Amino acid sequence: MANPIRIGLVGVGKIARDQHLPVIAASPDYSLVAVASRHGGLDGVPSYGSLEAMLAAHGDLDAVALCQPPQARFAAALAGIAAGRHVFLEKPPGATLAEVGLLVEAARTRGVSLFASWHSRCAPGVEPARRWLSGRRIRSVEMAWLEDVRHWHPGQDWIWDAGGMGVFDPGINALSIATHILPPFHLTGATLSVPENRQAPIAADLHFADAAGTPIRARFDWRQTGPQTWDIRVETDDGTLVLSQGGAILTIDGRDQPLPPEAEYRGLYDRFAALVRSGASDVDLNPLIHAADAFMRGERRTVEAFTDRPDTD
């Protein structure tokens, strides 16, 4: 068996603690060497206040996983690549398309692997859905990603800043699945609802079409209360396919399909290990392209101010 990949993790926030760290600890492909974070370290592991300090202290690192907000990821990824480390990027891979393009070229020149991860593509129902849809005529697609931002992102102001993507932070998960299971499509129109006290949208209504003119709609909204919704419904000439709970459940014509256990982040880290060992990269920009197109072409509509605390009046 190959030696474990010696990895450092940057950004010890909720997603790192909930997903990245447990998978790294459980995988024989990795050995966690150190972490870097501005907001506290990790017990039992050497911790540093910056990526640069971690790289300087650990010349034995093979790779870094970057879990900071997207606005900070470019500089960190470039530093990791320049130091000869393989780089794992949380989604979205960057705040702009151009910066990710520069990272791709830098990784190619330096001879290291770069991985733009899209965890929702590893949900249990996604690959079976892609196989079932292949070769079938699609008549329409409806995506609904409706959740309560106060529950999932309490106090995270960075998501409302320029480059933070707003409701596209979760919505891009729907786009990552759609670009994997559907034929190529393009944006035809969009409406972005932006709170008057924020810079990023709280809701988005997107319309797409493929080369055959198939209507594809996506609704993203962070104002959902009660049950949360992460569904993709595809009408075909052979029946109706529904991916629900973010791809965890797959039904065809109302019948549940057998699926493997959930292993989204395990799938990502298995893929990264394979890339590192083969010297390859995997950077699919299609989900980010659709999000960028929505910001470019979308009609901006101002809505009432948003506060992270519910109204108590």
Side-chain angles (χ1 to χ4, degrees):
M1 179 177 175
N3 291 329
I5 296 165
R6 295 162 298 188
I7 194 167
L9 187 141
V10 183
V12 189
K14 179 175 173 54
I15 192 66
R17 293 182 184 274
D18 290 352
Q19 301 291 351
H20 291 259
L21 291 170
V23 168
I24 291 171
S27 174
D29 287 321
Y30 296 94
S31 173
L32 182 64
V33 172
V35 300
S37 177
R38 293 182 303 168
H39 305 293
L42 188 69
D43 291 343
V45 178
S47 302
Y48 302 89
S50 69
L51 168 64
E52 291 75 14
M54 183 177 72
L55 291 174
H58 293 277
D60 58 341
L61 278 177
D62 299 310
V64 292
L66 305 183
C67 305
Q68 330 97 301
Q71 300 98 316
R73 208 167 290 148
F74 174 73
L78 203 58
I81 291 168
R85 271 62 171 195
H86 308 288
V87 176
F88 178 117
L89 300 169
E90 243 294 354
K91 65 87 188 169
T96 71
L97 289 164
E99 68 184 42
V100 183
L102 290 174
L103 294 178
V104 170
E105 180 59 23
R108 186 195 65 78
T109 301
R110 192 65 175 83
V112 298
S113 297
L114 180 67
F115 180 38
S117 68
W118 300 106
H119 67 83
S120 290
R121 289 181 175 177
C122 295
V126 172
E127 189 58 27
R130 187 194 65 79
R131 291 195 299 266
W132 190 85
L133 289 170
S134 179
R136 286 182 163 86
R137 182 176 180 274
I138 297 172
R139 295 163 53 189
S140 66
V141 180
E142 291 278 344
M143 293 176 259
W145 242 244
L146 316 174
E147 62 182 50
D148 184 352
V149 66
R150 292 187 177 100
H151 174 78
W152 298 103
H153 299 278
Q156 294 183 11
D157 287 337
W158 65 265
I159 56 176
W160 298 107
D161 294 337
M165 298 189 72
V167 77
F168 283 87
D169 179 75
I172 206 168
N173 292 330
L175 296 174
S176 74
I177 295 173
T179 52
H180 187 65
I181 67 174
L182 301 175
F185 55 87
H186 69 283
L187 187 79
T188 59
T191 301
L192 309 183
S193 298
V194 182
E196 60 185 8
N197 62 333
R198 303 288 180 171
Q199 297 183 58
I202 197 169
D205 187 6
L206 313 175
H207 294 267
F208 305 91
D210 61 18
T214 306
I216 301 169
R217 184 186 182 191
R219 293 182 298 117
F220 305 152
D221 202 318
W222 257 348
R223 298 168 295 192
Q224 179 85 340
T225 57
Q228 309 289 276
T229 301
W230 304 285
D231 295 345
I232 298 178
R233 181 184 184 90
V234 185
E235 300 283 352
T236 79
D237 282 349
D238 291 332
T240 301
L241 178 148
V242 178
L243 276 170
S244 55
Q245 294 188 21
I249 297 174
L250 171 64
T251 63
I252 296 174
D253 289 335
R255 294 187 294 274
D256 288 345
Q257 304 299 302
L259 299 175
E262 188 282 325
E264 288 188 17
Y265 277 81
R266 177 58 190 266
L268 292 180
Y269 273 93
D270 286 350
R271 174 63 174 157
F272 186 49
L275 291 171
V276 169
R277 301 204 192 283
S278 65
S281 291
D282 181 355
V283 184
D284 180 6
L285 289 177
N286 281 310
L288 188 58
I289 288 171
H290 289 303
D293 284 354
F295 279 93
M296 288 180 63
R297 185 167 181 177
E299 175 187 348
R300 184 184 177 101
R301 182 179 66 180
T302 301
V303 297
E304 63 183 13
F306 170 81
T307 175
D308 202 41
R309 293 170 294 279
D311 190 355
T312 56
D313 293 343

